[in-house]
Amino acid sequence: MVDIIRVNMTDGSIQRDPLPKSYEGLGGRGLTSAFLLKEVEPTCTPIGPLNKLIFAPGLLGGTNCANSGRISVGAKSPLTGTIKEANSGGQAGSYLARLGIAAIVVEGQPKDGRLFKLHVTRDRCELLPADELKGLGNYASVEKLKGTYGDRVGYVSIGQAGEWKLGAASVAFSDRDGRPTRHAGRGGLGAVMGSKGLKAIVIDPAGGEAAPLADKDAFREASKRFLNALQTHPVTSQGLTNFGTDILINIINEAGGLPTRNFSTGRFEGAEKVGGETLNSVTTARKGDCSHGCMAGCVIRCSGVYLDEKGDYVSKWPEYETVWAWGPNCGIDDLDAIARMDRGCDDIGLDTIETGNAVAVAMEAGIKSFGDVAGAEELLAEIGKGTPLGRILGSGAGAVGKVFGVRRVPVVKNQALPAYDPRAVKGVGVTYATSPMGADHTAGYAVATNIMKVGGDVDPLSVAGQVDLSRGLQIATAAIDTAGLCLFVAFPVMDIPDAMVAVADMISAKYGIKMTVDDFNALGSRVLKMEREFNTRAGFTAADDRLPEFFKLEKLAPHNHVFDVPDEELDRVFNF
Amino acid sequence: MVDIIRVNMTDGSIQRDPLPKSYEGLGGRGLTSAFLLKEVEPTCTPIGPLNKLIFAPGLLGGTNCANSGRISVGAKSPLTGTIKEANSGGQAGSYLARLGIAAIVVEGQPKDGRLFKLHVTRDRCELLPADELKGLGNYASVEKLKGTYGDRVGYVSIGQAGEWKLGAASVAFSDRDGRPTRHAGRGGLGAVMGSKGLKAIVIDPAGGEAAPLADKDAFREASKRFLNALQTHPVTSQGLTNFGTDILINIINEAGGLPTRNFSTGRFEGAEKVGGETLNSVTTARKGDCSHGCMAGCVIRCSGVYLDEKGDYVSKWPEYETVWAWGPNCGIDDLDAIARMDRGCDDIGLDTIETGNAVAVAMEAGIKSFGDVAGAEELLAEIGKGTPLGRILGSGAGAVGKVFGVRRVPVVKNQALPAYDPRAVKGVGVTYATSPMGADHTAGYAVATNIMKVGGDVDPLSVAGQVDLSRGLQIATAAIDTAGLCLFVAFPVMDIPDAMVAVADMISAKYGIKMTVDDFNALGSRVLKMEREFNTRAGFTAADDRLPEFFKLEKLAPHNHVFDVPDEELDRVFNF
């Protein structure tokens, strides 16, 4: 039996009820999207009282399946105006699942602008004043909360960006060390949390227990096969484990698809200085941790610990997309500075992709120069101070473009593009254009097949095959996000046929159902259809499933391609 | 024979050709919208090279028909993303028509960010450097241009706002006294002009002649009947003539529909201090001009001259919507300050409606207090200086709301609502929601029938009849904007049956055709359909034809109504 907790911020009431039948068989992204489609008016004001903010662990949450502890956050996005799901590692997903909670649904809005924290324990759920946290960043907030709640709980929080309802505001989740380093970054969900007056959620797992399994033996057997796949595939057992996601810098640079200086060229002369190999050697030299899991049950352990020259903690290892956003995309090759900015984003509560893009667009506008490390750090500090310039930057790349009259603004549905140029990796360009989430590499990671030749081989520069590739990946990803699995399991899943069967077998064994791989994919299709339906009702059309004009007009060096997947092809992605 | 002039800003080439057959029978808004639908990709970047900026006098331009000298400006709007037409008085419309020019079409974009001016004479059209005008406001720009081109030409220009490509940037047109006081204000068309590197257009009417008439006698006869209607109707012969459009302050306040302090109540305690009666008495006392036409051939003469206490020129009489935007909507009752801000907006080149709303939303965000006159003037000065805060404000109310996390933002399609609360004047609410231009009172002025009982009587607080009223007015307005007539002719046209016949008769007599009143309305329908088609291709749907949520949730005092015209009713507006 799993429950949902409804928290009404208008009157402070809280209710715990069994998950309604209509939501059964859904978790994670599938559940947040289903709630939104059913309960939220798609044209509502994202930071108004009619929006809802939903937290949900995945279908495999609370089990001992490897890498199954992701938590999905959903709402209508203040950044894109679309339905939005962003998911995160950290401890919250598994803790909630072990408390038998399928979802927390935050509704309404307090009238007076006050701040609250939600304390969730096995037996009760309580809304308490949190005025003492007002204006604090995530690190200070969590530190303060630890004084009351200690180390053995999970923290969910927003920084200043969320309180100010900025479009790039993230929701932070504490990691295994109790640091707010894991973020549901994209789409400004922190702003929705801020608009609800909810500064933090404290999840105490005490007394919780592993999720019940309909068939324990079958589950154990399937989870072993799954684990084996993770520990066999070179990406999940070596590449990510040793070099973090930042291993991609040199790979994508080599492929000519590393967007440099606001997407003006595809190779960065300083790539090597900020790539995963350097990250590893710097960390090793400083006696930091090169292999660290962001959540319990992780066997990939891509999240290292970054130390400064004196050996003091700076941040978790910045992700590839973070290194890119603050690095090559701003013309910056200083890894220490990038790690500081990663820490700054985590603290203020900002999506690093959106914010790095915002700064790069500001550089294009002439506010700072590309390559100006001190300038970039200054701009991030402006966001933390909440100055007008900081508010613009914290509202995302689209806002910077509008306010400063920039023509070259890399956004789809007003969400900034991640670290792969769509002209050199056309499959992921199709995903950027068509995902119901706005530009998002995680929505259908065609980079795997275009560049890393995982799950097949589709020429990154050709048009042929990209739409089918993106479609298949978007469907599989929606299912993986619904299961609550870390997206990196996709590498073995795409290459090792039995891995996906094992996922379906685990879900079957947990819920006492018979799920095939086809059923698992059907689940992904169903989730995408719900999301598309929400967006259609919100007013989105095929005209929104397009890349910005400049990708079609300007050739990208070194391959000198434009993005040339025809519109009619893009419109074939959701032909199911 | 009329021509179009194509100005290519990419390569500097200029071409004058006869108006293509497919555009015949169109002028003004009808012509700008037809060009946009045919020649501009609806999903293009508004400030990019693929957008086009079109200037067009109306079908009756260049004749001696009263009040026929309006000029339409069209482009894809950087503010709304929709097709956009904004029209203006001043001298340019009639001058262009007398030179036999049906439209100037500005295309492409210079690569290096340089500024140009376009010099239009009877015999040639030349693009010249305008670097000497860089960073100048409209007043200083026109003053400088006068040194070269003198007093007997028409000036079209942008201020700093246009150069910076701000969403509230207007295009200024010089009036009969050579002052840049008339503006195509709405939709940020000044930003499109700025994005083309076009700082000014100088139109020399020398050698031009009255537009040819197919049947001079019939034209003379019809234009007399039309003139008679204008001079008979109390609104166009007395109300507007003596008190300007500001006569509406007390009327709309009395009706409980004067949006006060960012649309939080419908009556303003200081209304009388800023209304038309006060404007008249202050102007009379200071020996200013209470009755002044903005263009030659105007018989309404609603545009007075506002002097300060010392008797020095401040601005033209601020329009009702300007007085409202900077006055009641900001809680301000200081007419001198409002006139200064009107002047400031004209100089920087800003839409007063958009900018006043932006300031009111900033006040709601707590940046200044409602009623803070010095604070409002400071904010306007920030825009002129181009500070980050100024850029936000100059980007419009929607941008202020996004950047500062404000929930109550009065925009439709991201364009700010004008001076009539849709909860107390529901007919104009229907127009705001559904006009292809975004929130715009001039697109279908239901206030006339709701409040002033012109053209019938539809209860402003009831739902019944509003959709039919708005539809009829939107159609008639599209036709009037195509004819190049000042919208205020609508008052006699709605009340005096022969006035509309006279308009159709004038067009018939000029072009040698047989146009009935039905044909004239059909023309309006055709224009709206083109605009809707552009918007549909740009991705707009019924979900965009809605007022912001707060108008449906919050009751407006004193009548305590919400906006309750059902969505299905709104979707009936364009049922033709």
Side-chain angles (χ1 to χ4, degrees):
Chain A
M1 185 66 139
V2 288
D3 295 336
I4 62 164
I5 294 174
R6 286 189 189 267
V7 183
N8 185 321
M9 301 302 299
T10 307
D11 63 13
S13 65
I14 296 176
Q15 201 156 332
R16 181 166 178 155
D17 290 307
L19 184 72
K21 280 248 175 292
S22 58
Y23 295 121
E24 276 177 17
L26 293 171
R29 173 174 166 185
L31 189 54
T32 62
S33 290
F35 264 111
L36 290 166
L37 180 61
K38 189 160 179 209
E39 300 192 2
V40 171
E41 165 56 45
T43 57
C44 77
T45 302
I47 59 170
L50 303 186
N51 201 2
K52 299 192 182 188
L53 180 70
I54 303 147
F55 298 85
L59 286 175
L60 290 171
T63 71
N64 70 355
C65 162
N67 292 73
S68 66
R70 302 287 293 187
I71 185 162
S72 288
V73 190
K76 172 167 169 150
S77 162
L79 184 74
T80 63
T82 64
I83 199 168
K84 176 62 66 175
E85 183 261 8
N87 60 64
S88 176
Q91 298 293 76
S94 140
Y95 285 180
L96 280 185
R98 292 175 63 88
L99 292 173
I101 297 169
I104 296 177
V105 182
V106 185
E107 312 180 333
Q109 193 159 60
K111 277 235 156 73
D112 51 7
R114 281 184 60 203
L115 278 184
F116 297 89
K117 60 190 174 228
L118 181 69
H119 187 213
V120 180
T121 65
R122 194 188 64 172
D123 299 321
R124 67 178 303 198
C125 197
E126 202 177 4
L127 211 47
L128 300 157
D131 302 297
E132 77 281 8
L133 303 178
K134 199 176 169 73
L136 295 186
N138 283 309
Y139 272 88
S141 292
V142 167
E143 214 41 59
K144 204 153 203 172
L145 288 166
K146 277 185 187 164
T148 308
Y149 301 102
D151 278 335
R152 311 187 71 166
V153 300
Y155 293 104
V156 185
S157 59
I158 54 171
Q160 298 91 341
E163 286 189 44
W164 296 331
K165 303 185 272 283
L166 298 180
S170 64
V171 178
F173 294 86
S174 59
D175 61 18
R176 288 171 66 186
D177 305 317
R179 289 173 175 143
T181 61
R182 315 314 308 180
H183 288 246
R186 311 236 60 194
L189 296 174
V192 179
M193 193 158 157
S195 77
K196 305 274 178 222
L198 189 62
K199 177 74 177 176
I201 305 177
V202 181
I203 305 166
D204 185 345
E209 50 200 24
L213 302 171
D215 183 338
K216 281 183 191 181
D217 294 339
F219 192 93
R220 191 179 314 118
E221 188 269 339
S223 69
K224 258 190 204 161
R225 282 156 48 213
F226 181 65
L227 179 65
N228 185 51
L230 290 180
Q231 291 178 330
T232 303
H233 197 277
V235 172
T236 45
S237 66
Q238 297 163 39
L240 292 172
T241 309
N242 295 323
F243 305 105
T245 56
D246 196 31
I247 189 174
L248 283 164
I249 284 277
N250 288 318
I251 296 169
I252 304 301
N253 191 52
E254 184 57 36
L258 187 69
T260 299
R261 291 180 282 274
N262 193 32
F263 291 80
S264 62
T265 181
R267 283 211 179 117
F268 179 50
E269 60 284 2
E272 214 193 310
K273 293 170 72 177
V274 299
E277 295 79 355
T278 303
L279 185 60
N280 179 298
S281 65
V282 165
T283 303
T284 304
R286 294 176 184 175
K287 307 201 191 309
D289 189 350
C290 285
S291 184
H292 178 272
C294 78
M295 56 188 182
C298 171
V299 300
I300 301 174
R301 302 192 311 279
C302 67
S303 164
V305 175
Y306 197 93
L307 307 179
D308 66 14
E309 285 188 329
K310 289 183 279 178
D312 291 332
Y313 172 85
V314 178
S315 193
K316 92 280 188 184
W317 265 11
E319 303 286 351
Y320 162 64
E321 286 76 14
T322 303
V323 172
W324 162 78
W326 289 103
N329 198 42
C330 292
I332 285 173
D333 62 5
D334 180 336
L335 201 51
D336 281 335
I338 291 168
R340 286 194 300 271
M341 294 192 276
D342 181 66
R343 160 66 175 260
C345 284
D346 282 356
D347 195 30
I348 301 166
L350 290 165
D351 175 16
T352 55
I353 296 173
E354 195 66 46
T355 313
N357 268 288
V359 166
V361 174
M363 286 174 165
E364 171 122 5
I367 291 164
K368 299 286 177 192
S369 301
F370 285 111
D372 178 358
V373 176
E377 295 204 69
E378 247 174 66
L379 292 183
L380 180 56
E382 293 272 334
I383 307 179
K385 285 184 273 183
T387 63
L389 178 56
R391 302 276 182 137
I392 299 167
L393 294 162
S395 298
V400 176
K402 287 275 180 208
V403 168
F404 290 106
V406 180
R407 184 178 60 78
R408 301 176 70 261
V409 184
V411 296
V412 175
K413 302 181 179 73
N414 200 43
Q415 181 166 280
L417 264 63
Y420 315 86
D421 199 293
R423 290 163 291 189
V425 193
K426 291 180 184 168
V428 83
V430 173
T431 299
Y432 293 162
T434 60
S435 163
M437 300 291 158
D440 186 345
H441 61 297
T442 69
Y445 193 68
V447 183
T449 311
N450 277 175
I451 305 293
M452 296 146 79
K453 310 308 175 195
V454 169
D457 180 356
V458 174
D459 177 359
L461 296 173
S462 86
V463 168
Q466 307 297 2
V467 161
D468 294 336
L469 174 63
S470 174
R471 182 194 305 114
L473 290 169
Q474 289 195 56
I475 290 171
T477 303
I480 286 173
D481 291 341
T482 298
L485 293 167
C486 169
L487 186 57
F488 299 150
V489 309
F491 295 106
V493 159
M494 288 166 78
D495 269 344
I496 303 170
D498 183 57
M500 200 163 198
V501 181
V503 171
D505 287 350
M506 283 188 287
I507 296 175
S508 297
K510 181 177 176 193
Y511 293 94
I513 58 174
K514 271 254 158 259
M515 177 178 266
T516 64
V517 166
D518 283 349
D519 295 335
F520 187 67
N521 274 316
L523 178 62
S525 300
R526 181 182 156 203
V527 172
L528 282 169
K529 276 184 190 168
M530 289 192 289
E531 291 167 351
R532 295 263 300 173
E533 188 180 339
F534 184 98
N535 286 356
T536 299
R537 290 196 208 161
F540 287 82
T541 72
D544 300 296
D545 288 346
R546 301 288 181 261
L547 292 183
E549 179 180 293
F550 80 88
F551 289 110
K552 298 173 215 172
L553 299 180
E554 298 177 14
K555 290 180 181 171
L556 184 79
H559 299 300
N560 297 317
H561 272 240
V562 296
F563 184 76
D564 54 359
V565 179
D567 290 350
E568 311 79 61
E569 280 284 292
L570 295 176
D571 294 340
R572 280 204 311 114
V573 170
F574 295 101
N575 65 356
F576 53 88
Chain B
M1 188 61 140
V2 289
D3 295 335
I4 62 164
I5 293 173
R6 286 190 189 267
V7 183
N8 185 321
M9 300 304 298
T10 307
D11 63 13
S13 66
I14 296 176
Q15 203 155 332
R16 181 167 178 153
D17 290 306
L19 184 71
K21 279 249 174 291
S22 59
Y23 295 121
E24 275 179 17
L26 293 172
R29 173 175 167 185
L31 189 53
T32 61
S33 290
F35 264 110
L36 291 167
L37 180 61
K38 188 160 178 206
E39 301 192 1
V40 171
E41 165 56 46
T43 57
C44 77
T45 301
I47 59 169
L50 303 186
N51 200 1
K52 299 191 181 188
L53 181 70
I54 303 147
F55 297 85
L59 286 175
L60 290 171
T63 71
N64 70 354
C65 162
N67 292 74
S68 65
R70 302 288 292 187
I71 185 162
S72 288
V73 188
K76 171 166 171 150
S77 162
L79 185 75
T80 63
T82 64
I83 199 167
K84 175 62 67 175
E85 182 261 8
N87 61 64
S88 176
Q91 298 293 75
S94 140
Y95 285 0
L96 280 184
R98 291 176 63 89
L99 292 173
I101 297 168
I104 297 177
V105 182
V106 185
E107 313 179 333
Q109 193 158 59
K111 277 233 156 75
D112 51 8
R114 282 185 60 204
L115 278 184
F116 296 89
K117 60 191 174 231
L118 181 69
H119 187 213
V120 180
T121 66
R122 194 188 65 172
D123 300 321
R124 67 181 301 202
C125 198
E126 202 177 5
L127 211 47
L128 300 158
D131 303 298
E132 78 280 9
L133 303 178
K134 198 175 172 75
L136 295 186
N138 283 309
Y139 272 89
S141 293
V142 167
E143 214 41 57
K144 204 154 202 170
L145 289 166
K146 277 184 188 167
T148 309
Y149 301 103
D151 279 334
R152 312 187 71 164
V153 300
Y155 294 104
V156 186
S157 59
I158 54 171
Q160 298 91 343
E163 286 189 45
W164 296 332
K165 303 186 272 282
L166 298 180
S170 64
V171 177
F173 295 86
S174 58
D175 62 17
R176 287 170 66 187
D177 304 317
R179 288 171 176 147
T181 62
R182 316 313 309 179
H183 289 246
R186 310 235 61 194
L189 296 174
V192 179
M193 193 159 156
S195 78
K196 306 272 177 223
L198 188 61
K199 177 73 177 176
I201 305 176
V202 181
I203 305 165
D204 185 346
E209 50 200 25
L213 301 171
D215 184 338
K216 280 184 193 182
D217 292 339
F219 192 92
R220 191 180 314 119
E221 188 271 338
S223 70
K224 258 191 205 164
R225 283 156 48 214
F226 181 64
L227 178 65
N228 186 50
L230 290 180
Q231 291 178 330
T232 303
H233 197 278
V235 171
T236 45
S237 67
Q238 297 163 40
L240 292 171
T241 310
N242 295 324
F243 305 104
T245 56
D246 196 30
I247 190 175
L248 283 164
I249 285 276
N250 288 316
I251 296 170
I252 305 301
N253 192 51
E254 184 58 35
L258 188 69
T260 299
R261 291 180 282 275
N262 193 33
F263 290 80
S264 62
T265 181
R267 283 213 180 116
F268 180 49
E269 60 284 1
E272 212 194 312
K273 293 169 73 177
V274 298
E277 295 79 355
T278 304
L279 186 60
N280 178 299
S281 65
V282 165
T283 302
T284 303
R286 293 175 184 176
K287 307 202 188 313
D289 189 350
C290 285
S291 184
H292 178 271
C294 78
M295 57 189 183
C298 171
V299 299
I300 302 174
R301 303 191 312 278
C302 66
S303 164
V305 174
Y306 198 93
L307 307 179
D308 66 14
E309 285 188 330
K310 291 183 276 177
D312 291 333
Y313 172 85
V314 178
S315 193
K316 93 280 191 184
W317 265 11
E319 303 285 351
Y320 162 65
E321 286 76 15
T322 303
V323 172
W324 161 79
W326 289 104
N329 199 41
C330 292
I332 286 173
D333 63 5
D334 179 337
L335 201 51
D336 281 335
I338 291 168
R340 286 193 300 272
M341 295 192 277
D342 182 66
R343 161 66 175 260
C345 283
D346 282 355
D347 195 31
I348 301 167
L350 291 166
D351 176 16
T352 55
I353 296 174
E354 195 65 46
T355 313
N357 267 289
V359 167
V361 173
M363 287 174 165
E364 172 123 3
I367 291 164
K368 298 286 176 191
S369 302
F370 286 111
D372 177 358
V373 176
E377 295 204 68
E378 247 175 65
L379 291 183
L380 179 56
E382 293 273 334
I383 307 179
K385 284 183 274 185
T387 63
L389 178 56
R391 303 276 181 137
I392 300 167
L393 294 161
S395 297
V400 176
K402 287 276 179 207
V403 168
F404 291 106
V406 179
R407 182 178 61 78
R408 301 176 70 261
V409 184
V411 296
V412 175
K413 302 180 180 75
N414 200 42
Q415 182 165 280
L417 265 63
Y420 315 86
D421 198 294
R423 291 162 291 189
V425 193
K426 292 180 184 168
V428 83
V430 173
T431 299
Y432 292 162
T434 61
S435 163
M437 300 291 158
D440 185 346
H441 61 297
T442 69
Y445 192 68
V447 183
T449 311
N450 276 175
I451 305 293
M452 295 147 79
K453 310 309 175 193
V454 169
D457 180 357
V458 174
D459 177 1
L461 297 173
S462 85
V463 169
Q466 306 297 3
V467 161
D468 295 335
L469 174 64
S470 174
R471 180 194 306 114
L473 290 169
Q474 290 196 55
I475 290 170
T477 304
I480 286 173
D481 291 342
T482 298
L485 293 168
C486 170
L487 186 57
F488 298 151
V489 309
F491 294 106
V493 159
M494 287 166 80
D495 270 344
I496 303 170
D498 183 57
M500 201 163 197
V501 181
V503 172
D505 287 350
M506 283 187 287
I507 296 174
S508 298
K510 182 176 175 194
Y511 292 94
I513 57 175
K514 270 255 158 256
M515 176 178 267
T516 64
V517 166
D518 283 350
D519 296 335
F520 187 66
N521 275 316
L523 178 61
S525 300
R526 180 182 157 203
V527 172
L528 282 170
K529 277 185 190 168
M530 289 192 290
E531 293 167 350
R532 295 264 299 173
E533 187 179 339
F534 184 99
N535 287 355
T536 299
R537 290 195 207 160
F540 287 82
T541 72
D544 300 296
D545 289 346
R546 302 289 180 260
L547 292 183
E549 178 180 292
F550 81 87
F551 289 109
K552 299 173 215 172
L553 298 180
E554 298 177 12
K555 289 180 181 171
L556 184 79
H559 299 300
N560 296 317
H561 273 239
V562 297
F563 184 76
D564 54 0
V565 179
D567 290 350
E568 312 78 61
E569 280 284 293
L570 295 176
D571 294 341
R572 278 204 312 114
V573 170
F574 295 101
N575 64 357
F576 52 88

